């Protein structure tokens, strides 16, 4: 196995670290500019950094920017829309539950990919895969239920938001990897960087139109909060750059599986930066989710 074939491992770890910082920054922004406004800043303020990265890659590598053709734009549009929905659902869940717990909900993403395969593609569900899904689901239920409490609407809502967020992030990963592979030419760095610029540009336009039509107050607030938003935009663009490079080197499943280390990173952020305690019950739930995802992946080899 060559060094280049292993490059996706450090790239993915760097993406997970940058994404943890971005998520924490966005979560703080929801308190001042709302969920939709905080969703928009990662794209609006990340887009200039993506263009800068594209210019630097073109300058350093001396390659032309590949022109979009074929299925590139449908993949970009699908991935961009799914990521917007995933981010909004993630931030909505984080307003009601611990940062690390919501991150763990989202990390049911590989499990949901398997379920999508059964429902949409008719992929077979082996006993090993079914066991993995069962263990991970048990972890989610354990984390969402408090001892002696009934699961009412208030407790169910953030759980549903978090799991749905993971589902849309899974669809986004598939869309973006499809777009990168659809580009006809260029190195993996150029194709991933060009795809990122198109994706963030598309997301910026979609959210500006939406906010301009339905929530101008949040749009104005996002412009006023430009200083913290710049940080979220930079971390978001940095994380996405690493994710996209990872998608260009290996399957989205490999990248998103290794990204489960983000659960541990998020727990550290909750304790040190957000002063949020993680209970033993939640720790056990996160362990079950990770174990379930591990069983799922082992069954697929």
């Amino acid at each position: 196995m060559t060094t280049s074939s292993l490059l996706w491992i450090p790239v993915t770890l760097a993406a997970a670290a940058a994404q943890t910082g971005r998520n924490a920054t966005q979560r703080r922004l929801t308190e001042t500019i709302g969920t939709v406004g905080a969703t928009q800043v990662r794209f609006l303020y990340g887009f200039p950094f993506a263009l800068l990265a594209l210019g630097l890659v073109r300058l350093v590598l001396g390659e032309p920017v590949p022109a979009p053709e074929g299925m590139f734009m449908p993949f970009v549009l699908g991935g961009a829309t799914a990521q917007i929905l995933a981010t909004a659902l993630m931030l909505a869940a984080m307003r009601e539950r611990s940062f690390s717990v919501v991150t763990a909900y989202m990390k049911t993403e590989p499990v949901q990919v398997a379920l999508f395969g059964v429902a949409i593609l008719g992929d077979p569900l082996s006993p090993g895969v079914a066991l993995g899904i069962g263990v991970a689901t048990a972890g989610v239920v354990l984390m969402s239920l408090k001892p002696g409490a009934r699961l009412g609407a208030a407790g169910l809502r953030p759980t549903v938001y978090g799991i749905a967020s993971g589902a849309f992030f899974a669809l986004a990963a598939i869309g973006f990897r499809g777009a990168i592979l659809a580009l006809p030419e260029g190195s993996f760095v150029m194709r991933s960087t060009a795809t990122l610029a198109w994706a963030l540009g598309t997301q910026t336009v979609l959210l500006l139109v939406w906010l301009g039509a339905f929530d101008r107050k949040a749009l104005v607030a996002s412009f006023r909060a430009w200083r913290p938003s710049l940080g979220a935009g930079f971390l978001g663009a940095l994380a996405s750059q690493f994710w996209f490079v990872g998608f260009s080197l290996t399957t989205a499943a490999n990248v998103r599986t290794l990204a489960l280390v983000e659960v541990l990173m998020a727990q550290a952020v909750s304790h040190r930066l957000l002063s949020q305690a993680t209970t033993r019950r939640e720790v056990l739930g996160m362990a079950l989710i990770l174990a379930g995802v591990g069983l799922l992946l082992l069954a697929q080899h």
Side-chain angles (χ1 to χ4, degrees):
M1 188 172 289
T2 64
T3 302
S4 61
S5 66
L6 295 174
L7 182 60
W8 68 273
I9 296 176
V11 163
T12 299
L13 293 174
Q19 181 161 297
T20 300
R22 186 211 65 211
N23 288 347
T25 304
Q26 278 188 288
R27 185 187 183 280
R28 290 195 186 100
L29 285 171
T30 60
E31 300 171 1
T32 57
I33 62 177
T35 299
V36 179
T39 300
Q40 184 252 10
V41 299
R42 75 172 281 191
F43 306 118
L44 175 64
Y45 290 94
F47 183 45
F49 291 110
L51 290 178
L52 178 61
L54 182 59
L56 289 175
V57 168
R58 188 180 187 283
L59 180 64
V60 172
L61 298 182
E63 297 181 31
V65 177
E69 60 180 64
M71 288 296 295
F72 177 80
M73 287 310 299
F75 273 127
V76 166
L77 183 59
T81 304
Q83 192 175 46
I84 289 174
L85 294 173
T87 304
L89 287 166
M90 174 192 72
L91 293 175
M94 285 181 178
R95 296 185 71 173
E96 302 187 42
R97 289 302 300 271
S98 160
F99 178 76
S100 60
V101 173
V102 172
T103 300
Y105 289 157
M106 290 158 47
K107 294 312 166 188
T108 60
E109 177 186 333
V111 176
Q112 296 183 76
V113 170
L115 294 177
F116 287 144
V118 174
I120 300 173
L121 303 176
D123 293 334
L125 185 64
S126 69
V129 170
L131 176 62
I133 292 173
V135 172
T137 302
V140 173
V141 172
L142 181 64
M143 292 175 66
S144 63
L145 289 175
K146 295 180 180 179
R150 296 182 178 180
L151 183 59
L156 181 62
R157 185 170 56 247
T159 302
V160 172
Y161 285 168
I163 295 174
S165 175
F168 281 111
F169 274 125
L171 293 173
I174 293 171
F176 292 144
R177 174 164 166 79
I180 292 169
L181 296 178
L183 287 176
E185 57 186 12
S187 65
F188 69 89
V189 176
M190 173 56 79
R191 287 184 290 111
S192 59
T193 306
T195 302
L196 174 61
W198 274 101
L200 285 178
T202 300
Q203 290 164 325
T204 298
V205 171
L206 289 175
L207 280 170
L208 283 176
V209 171
W210 173 270
L211 290 173
F214 301 105
D215 198 347
R216 294 184 182 179
K217 183 178 179 180
L219 180 60
V220 172
S222 68
F223 287 132
R224 288 177 177 171
W226 65 270
R227 293 185 183 225
S229 297
L230 270 178
F234 171 74
L235 289 172
L238 181 64
S240 295
Q241 179 70 57
F242 284 124
W243 289 133
F244 280 42
V245 170
F247 293 151
S248 71
L249 293 170
T250 188
T251 65
N254 284 342
V255 172
R256 300 311 296 168
T257 301
L258 182 58
L260 291 173
V261 298
E262 188 186 345
V263 174
L264 302 179
M265 295 178 184
Q267 185 178 1
V269 169
S270 292
H271 282 294
R272 298 194 176 186
L273 299 183
L274 304 179
S275 300
Q276 293 179 339
T278 303
T279 67
R280 292 181 181 179
R281 190 181 187 87
E282 290 170 344
V283 170
L284 178 57
M286 284 189 280
L288 284 174
I289 290 174
L290 293 174
V293 171
L295 288 170
L296 173 69
L297 294 170
L298 286 174
Q300 291 178 335
H301 287 293

